Amino acid sequence: IKLFGFDVFAEYARKHSYGTTHGFSRDIPYDKTGEGWYGSVSFTGLEGFGLTFEYKNYRFDVVDPDARKDANRPTRIVPVQNPPIVHKEHAFTLLTRSPHTIDFNDETGWQVDVFSAVAPNLVLNLNGAVASRQQSWVRLPGGRYRPLFKSNDLFPALDEEFSPFWEIYLDAEWYFEEESFVRLAVNRRSDTQYEEGVGKGHRVASTTLPVRIEYMLDEAFSLGVSLEQQWASDNSYPVDDRTFFNEFVSVTLAHAPDWAATIRAEFTSDEFDPSGKKSWITGEFTYRLGNVHTATVSYGSERGGLICSSGVCRVVQPFTGVRVQLYTQL
């Protein structure tokens, strides 16, 4: 619906799964129905102002913690069915290191995004998001679980039993000399994954200050510089409430649209990084071959981690050495 400058969109999905799965001694039938709601309201005003509110309420496959760990259960939603994630996907490197992993089978939340051109060459962006599970569980003697429901079905809960996530992001983008710009941002986030077996929430929180500068040297050459600093805390085993500092620096010289040369460096004070390292430095050269092929050669060490896009997450392993890649867009 479009009316008086507002754009309203609503969507409902119902999912029905049934069949038979193979057990150790017999076949086990399953028959389950789930559902999800998504809605958004957008407003675009005069003089470069825009506002968007999004809401999600997904209950496609609510199961107890033991069944939740089974990634192959036939009733869960599959990636091709993923609805909107309703939180911001970031371009800054450190903000992609520990993204919120959405549970499409049981999650509710909302997001507000505001853009404002406060001057012809200055744009502000404010984004806030909150999410949580709709149902938690209490572990009983004997290993069974009792469901624990939120007091409000419409909005997310901040109690740690419901694995809450929240984030606030603000950036300012200032353009100078036509296409050159400086982007300065600040981000604060908290993400908790409740562990019913131990009765405790695993909370990761961070404050990040990234800066990106793109300077056009002439019509073809450009220089890009990124500087990101992050103060983080993590209360997971083996050390409770450990704090550490992350830093990322990159410099790119590019000749559009032919080639780009980049040096990236990342540092951490985290004593428990899975790679066992505290610094990673990589040199990379990218060359475009025609209109559909791009070749990349890199040398150095790269930090691994969880990478998410549109709610689909994969683990990228740490890497040291020479990497040669060829991308083709058909």
Side-chain angles (χ1 to χ4, degrees), residues 134-152:
Q134 299 187 75
Q135 184 172 313
S136 186
W137 302 83
V138 178
R139 190 178 180 90
L140 302 175
R144 295 181 296 110
Y145 291 94
R146 175 174 60 84
L148 177 65
F149 300 97
K150 294 195 297 87
S151 59
N152 189 319

Side-chain angles (χ1 to χ4, degrees), residues 46-50 115-124:
L46 300 176
E47 299 180 356
F49 176 81
F115 280 91
S116 180
V118 296
N121 59 345
L122 179 61
V123 179
L124 300 181

Side-chain angles (χ1 to χ4, degrees), residues 3 11 65 104 158 183 252 268 316:
L3 191 65
E11 182 177 12
F104 291 102
L158 295 180
R183 181 183 298 129
T252 300
T268 185
V316 177

Side-chain angles (χ1 to χ4, degrees), residues 6-252:
F6 288 90
D7 192 333
V8 182
F9 177 84
E11 182 177 12
Y12 172 76
R14 188 172 180 86
K15 179 177 182 293
H16 185 202
S17 304
Y18 62 93
T20 303
T21 184
H22 299 290
F24 289 105
S25 59
R26 63 185 179 87
D27 291 342
I28 303 173
Y30 62 88
D31 190 325
K32 192 169 186 181
T33 299
E35 62 182 6
W37 286 93
Y38 168 79
S40 68
V41 179
S42 299
F43 174 77
T44 302
L46 300 176
E47 299 180 356
F49 176 81
L51 182 148
T52 299
F53 174 81
E54 292 182 285
Y55 175 76
K56 64 183 175 185
N57 193 315
Y58 304 147
R59 297 179 58 87
F60 288 106
D61 189 29
V62 181
V63 294
D64 65 45
D66 287 343
R68 189 191 304 148
K69 297 175 183 177
D70 181 9
N72 296 316
R73 68 182 188 274
T75 55
R76 69 190 293 268
I77 198 170
V78 295
V80 72
Q81 300 170 306
N82 285 1
I85 60 174
V86 193
H87 64 263
K88 191 175 184 65
E89 286 196 291
H90 296 281
F92 290 110
T93 298
L94 292 184
L95 292 179
T96 66
R97 290 297 185 207
S98 57
H100 171 60
T101 304
I102 180 175
D103 184 358
F104 291 102
N105 297 291
D106 179 17
E107 187 161 306
T108 185
W110 53 261
Q111 175 182 216
V112 175
D113 194 78
V114 181
F115 280 91
S116 180
V118 296
N121 59 345
L122 179 61
V123 179
L124 300 181
N125 176 216
L126 174 64
N127 181 280
V130 181
S132 76
R133 297 190 191 278
Q134 299 187 75
Q135 184 172 313
S136 186
W137 302 83
V138 178
R139 190 178 180 90
L140 302 175
R144 295 181 296 110
Y145 291 94
R146 175 174 60 84
L148 177 65
F149 300 97
K150 294 195 297 87
S151 59
N152 189 319
D153 290 336
L154 292 178
F155 296 101
L158 295 180
D159 304 310
E160 72 167 8
E161 292 86 353
F162 296 96
S163 299
F165 161 78
W166 60 264
E167 179 179 52
I168 299 176
Y169 172 88
L170 173 66
D171 76 21
E173 191 169 81
W174 174 57
Y175 284 85
F176 62 98
E177 296 184 6
E178 297 182 354
E179 296 182 1
S180 300
F181 70 87
V182 177
R183 181 183 298 129
L184 174 65
V186 58
N187 176 275
R188 177 64 181 171
R189 68 162 56 142
S190 173
D191 199 355
T192 301
Q193 291 295 317
Y194 189 70
E195 302 175 23
E196 288 83 1
V198 297
K200 180 182 178 182
H202 171 201
R203 179 176 180 267
V204 178
S206 63
T207 299
T208 309
L209 297 176
V211 179
R212 176 67 181 177
I213 301 173
E214 287 278 357
Y215 182 66
M216 298 299 299
L217 301 174
D218 57 29
E219 293 183 355
F221 283 93
S222 64
L223 181 66
V225 178
S226 292
L227 175 60
E228 304 176 23
Q229 297 181 312
Q230 183 180 76
W231 295 263
S233 64
D234 190 330
N235 72 342
S236 63
Y237 179 85
V239 177
D240 287 341
D241 298 324
R242 77 180 193 270
T243 59
F244 51 94
F245 176 74
N246 296 317
E247 186 172 31
F248 175 83
V249 181
S250 74
V251 179
T252 300

